[in-house]
Amino acid sequence: MRGEASRIADRVSRDSMAPRLRDTREEAWRIGNELFSVTNVLDNNIRLERALTDPSRPVEDKVALLDRLIGGQSHEMTMEILTDLVGRKWSRVSDIANAVEDFGVDGMMYYADATDATLQVSIELAELHSALLNLPVVRSGLGDPKVPSQARVELARRLLEGRGLNKVTYRLAEHAACNPRNRRYLTTIQWLINKFSRHMGESMVTVTTAAPLTQEQIEKLIALYTRKLGRPVHINSVVDPSVIGGMRIQHGDEVTDNTVVAQLQQLQRLVQA
């Protein structure tokens, strides 16, 4: 949980800088990547975080430190966002890295907007989340802080290879593996799905079945979850023959699994017990 000072700093900075970041359109790809890199640097350098959030240190000194680190190499908007952030008050030193990462994700979303890929990325993230539910060993390896960062990234690349994903989806999934940030990998993917859903003004409901849903089934699910959630929903239909039958429905952290394979697994656990 972020303290009150950090919540205010984050909200005011986003209100000020997010519209300008959005206006960079396709340049937001570069900015998002630079902000992810800065997030990684901050997470691995507590002294730097303290220097950039020290309320007794003049803002000019903090900006000069940023300039020594990335000045002349980064996009001017990257520098403007970071300059704005170091001028704010933070409840904890680590909260500034959270804000930088948030802006990095924003950059990826705005690039997706500029390339008409926002819905595609949202669906691909939901499909990745659904696939990982059946791969406990893989998702454990992707988020294990004891595993070297490069090994986690290579594992993510092998998982994503050949799927034909949008480059934003690929980059977000790679970032989640590169720097777990004290989160489970699946938790990070769900956080990203939620951010994209809020950005689009609708909720993503992922439905996994052994065979494709009919249009009638999709319409019924849309009506049901629109009433339940009180806002528009998008049904992401995932076909996975391994579930055999039934449905697995996921919205946010809530998963309702009535598939045949889930029932068989439950029966197996009961027999073993």
Side-chain angles (χ1 to χ4, degrees), residues 15-273:
D15 288 346
S16 171
M17 303 305 298
R20 298 181 61 192
L21 175 57
R22 182 180 59 240
D23 290 343
T24 64
R25 296 186 58 75
E26 294 188 16
E27 284 292 297
W29 169 260
R30 174 186 170 185
I31 299 164
N33 276 292
E34 290 175 350
L35 291 169
F36 283 158
S37 295
V38 173
T39 303
N40 293 346
V41 171
L42 291 173
D43 282 339
N44 289 286
N45 194 329
I46 185 65
R47 291 181 62 187
L48 177 59
E49 284 185 320
R50 286 172 177 161
L52 294 175
T53 57
D54 184 353
S56 66
R57 186 170 188 167
V59 174
E60 293 78 9
D61 286 359
K62 300 175 186 179
V63 174
L65 177 56
L66 284 174
D67 191 58
R68 289 197 297 274
L69 288 171
I70 62 172
Q73 306 171 47
S74 63
H75 193 284
E76 61 180 14
M77 181 53 63
T78 302
M79 191 65 180
E80 287 187 38
I81 289 170
L82 294 173
T83 298
D84 185 88
L85 291 176
V86 300
R88 308 287 176 186
K89 293 183 179 180
W90 301 93
S91 306
R92 299 179 305 177
V93 296
S94 60
D95 286 344
I96 193 170
N98 296 334
V100 174
E101 184 188 37
D102 282 347
F103 270 115
V105 176
D106 287 346
M108 292 294 157
M109 289 195 298
Y110 294 142
Y111 174 79
D113 288 346
T115 55
D116 297 320
T118 311
L119 179 58
Q120 178 190 352
V121 172
S122 184
I123 290 173
E124 289 175 352
L125 287 170
E127 290 175 345
L128 175 60
H129 189 284
S130 182
L132 285 168
L133 289 173
N134 295 321
L135 300 170
V137 175
V138 173
R139 68 173 187 260
S140 177
L142 288 168
D144 188 347
K146 297 177 183 177
V147 175
S149 174
Q150 189 56 41
R152 292 195 303 268
V153 171
E154 289 301 325
L155 178 58
R157 289 172 178 169
R158 290 197 299 272
L159 174 67
L160 302 173
E161 188 177 7
R163 290 176 177 264
L165 299 175
N166 184 278
K167 73 176 187 175
V168 173
T169 310
Y170 192 99
R171 182 66 184 94
L172 290 170
E174 184 183 61
H175 169 70
C178 177
N179 188 0
R181 310 204 69 233
N182 298 316
R183 299 177 300 223
R184 293 181 179 179
Y185 189 82
L186 213 57
T187 300
T188 301
I189 298 302
Q190 185 60 59
W191 171 65
L192 292 168
I193 292 169
N194 292 342
K195 280 184 71 78
F196 269 79
S197 294
R198 289 194 299 271
H199 180 65
M200 294 187 297
E202 62 182 16
S203 293
M204 176 73 68
V205 178
T206 299
V207 183
T208 304
T209 53
L213 294 172
T214 65
Q215 188 59 39
E216 182 181 2
Q217 288 174 314
I218 292 174
E219 290 174 359
K220 286 182 178 179
L221 287 165
I222 289 174
L224 173 64
Y225 276 89
T226 297
R227 287 196 302 272
K228 179 179 179 179
L229 302 174
R231 57 182 177 275
V233 301
H234 175 82
I235 300 298
N236 175 38
S237 177
V238 177
V239 177
D240 181 359
S242 70
V243 304
I244 305 176
M247 287 185 180
R248 180 171 64 224
I249 302 177
Q250 178 178 349
H251 166 256
D253 296 326
E254 179 183 320
V255 179
T256 303
D257 197 338
N258 293 317
T259 59
V260 172
V261 70
Q263 294 173 38
L264 290 173
Q265 289 170 348
Q266 176 65 17
L267 179 60
Q268 183 181 35
R269 286 192 290 268
L270 289 172
V271 171
Q272 291 174 341

